[in-house]
């Protein structure tokens, strides 16, 4: 059962109040079944599709933006190289990724999330590969479990969340060491410099070797080369 709140104050007050046993059973316990249904539907759908390359990026990027156009070209070349493409299913960079995969006649998957703003399905997702989620954590599991690689375009907090989720899972060996490719060296420069200067050198909260998990590129050719090099190294090939 999904909880409905009139406004943000009501949501905060709900978290602070002491709930009765009946309220716990109604709202919290029964939510487990909604979560289970999203996992089951996601696993069954994605297992039939098979692994793809995930493309992350901002929902706010407009079609005339250079990064939208670059993401479309990247997805096109990825699909032509034999890889399927997974995006968050919404507008912006996500739309560009699905559009490029669609244009390249490759597999085009959308993992959408219900949000109060920005998010809506884009028209370039394959008809039977359009999933919708209420829960971010279920959606992120689908991205990670069925991704052969991660292409990260410029984006906001959501994109950073997806990026660091992938890095953390690879760093802790919870998933395989799939390539993480950051696109747009100028966009990512400040973040990478901060990680190196503060987290690695000054505070030593990150190991220097962890930076080897990330590649930074600027062109669609470099993205495909990074993916192909990874699969040649392990004597593997795309699934499509």
């Amino acid at each position: 059962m999904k909880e409905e709140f009139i406004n943000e104050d009501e949501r905060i007050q709900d978290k602070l109040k002491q709930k009765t046993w009946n309220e716990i059973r109604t709202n919290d316990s029964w939510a487990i079944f909604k979560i289970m249904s999203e996992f089951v539907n996601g696993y069954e759908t994605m297992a039939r599709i098979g692994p793809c390359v995930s493309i992350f990026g901002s929902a706010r990027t407009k079609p005339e933006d250079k990064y939208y156009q670059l993401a479309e070209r990247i997805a096109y070349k990825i699909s032509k190289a034999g890889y399927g493409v997974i995006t968050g299913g919404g507008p912006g960079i996500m739309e560009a990724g699905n559009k490029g995969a669609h244009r390249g006649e490759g597999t085009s998957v959308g993992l959408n999330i219900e949000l109060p703003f920005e998010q809506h399905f884009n028209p370039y997702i394959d008809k039977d590969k359009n999933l919708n989620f209420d829960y971010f954590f279920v959606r992120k599991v689908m991205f990670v479990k069925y991704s052969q690689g991660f292409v990260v375009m410029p984006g906001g907090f959501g994109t950073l969340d997806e990026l660091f989720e992938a890095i953390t899972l690879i760093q802790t060996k919870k998933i395989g060491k799939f390539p993480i490719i950051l696109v747009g060296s100028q966009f990512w420069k400040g973040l990478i410099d901060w990680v190196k200067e503060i987290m690695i050198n000054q505070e030593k909260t990150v190991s220097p070797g962890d930076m080897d998990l990330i590649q930074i590129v600027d062109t669609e050719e470099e993205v495909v080369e990074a993916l192909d090099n990874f699969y040649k190294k392990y004597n593997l090939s795309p699934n499509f």
Side-chain angles (χ1 to χ4, degrees):
M1 180 180 295
K2 187 178 178 180
E3 296 178 71
E4 299 291 344
F5 298 99
I6 297 172
N7 54 47
E8 190 62 30
D9 286 343
E10 187 181 77
R11 186 189 296 270
I12 293 171
Q13 289 167 4
D14 177 77
K15 296 299 180 185
L16 295 175
K17 76 177 184 180
Q18 182 68 41
K19 294 184 180 180
T20 67
W21 174 240
N22 284 336
E23 286 176 318
I24 293 172
R25 291 182 64 190
T26 300
N27 294 324
D28 295 347
S29 299
W30 284 97
I32 293 171
F33 294 98
K34 170 63 176 173
I35 295 167
M36 286 175 59
S37 72
E38 289 199 359
F39 272 119
V40 170
N41 182 53
Y43 284 152
E44 289 185 346
T45 302
M46 295 301 294
R48 290 194 297 270
I49 296 169
C52 301
V53 172
S54 287
I55 297 179
F56 301 134
S58 175
R60 303 183 185 188
T61 306
K62 304 301 182 185
E64 60 271 19
D65 188 279
K66 65 178 182 179
Y67 288 121
Y68 181 106
Q69 295 168 14
L70 178 56
E72 183 181 344
R73 296 197 303 271
I74 288 170
Y76 174 80
K77 284 192 171 290
I78 284 175
S79 66
K80 285 299 185 184
Y83 303 92
V85 170
I86 303 174
T87 80
I93 294 296
M94 296 174 280
E95 178 182 283
N98 289 125
K99 185 177 180 180
H102 181 77
R103 187 163 61 88
E105 299 180 340
T107 298
S108 180
V109 183
L111 307 181
N112 217 299
I113 185 78
E114 290 188 9
L115 296 176
F117 56 90
E118 290 181 355
Q119 189 79 3
H120 57 77
F121 285 122
N122 71 67
Y124 303 104
I125 303 167
D126 294 345
K127 193 172 183 180
D128 59 341
K129 299 175 178 64
N130 194 355
L131 286 80
N132 198 41
F133 298 90
D134 282 331
Y135 298 98
F136 266 113
F137 64 89
V138 180
R139 180 181 183 238
K140 287 201 292 184
V141 168
M142 300 306 149
F143 271 124
V144 172
K145 183 174 175 60
Y146 295 99
S147 289
Q148 294 175 300
F150 304 93
V151 176
V152 190
M153 304 294 298
F157 290 141
T159 301
L160 293 177
D161 178 46
E162 292 159 340
L163 166 62
F164 284 112
E165 174 92 1
I167 294 173
T168 301
L169 291 172
I170 291 174
Q171 177 203 43
T172 55
K173 298 183 173 23
K174 294 298 183 181
I175 63 172
K177 194 177 177 181
F178 294 110
I180 299 174
I181 306 165
L182 305 187
V183 182
S185 57
Q186 190 58 40
F187 178 88
W188 294 108
K189 183 180 184 302
L191 176 63
I192 298 303
D193 287 347
W194 179 78
V195 170
K196 290 178 178 178
E197 293 170 14
I198 304 300
M199 299 182 77
I200 293 177
N201 295 332
Q202 182 174 313
E203 300 297 334
K204 304 190 187 310
T205 56
V206 172
S207 299
D210 290 338
M211 294 303 296
D212 296 337
L213 301 175
I214 304 169
Q215 300 176 66
I216 304 173
V217 305
D218 285 297
T219 68
E220 58 268 35
E221 290 82 8
E222 289 175 304
V223 172
V224 175
E225 182 182 10
L227 291 170
D228 284 346
N229 286 343
F230 173 81
Y231 283 95
K232 287 175 184 175
K233 177 181 177 181
Y234 290 97
N235 197 28
L236 300 170
S237 62
N239 285 272
F240 300 96

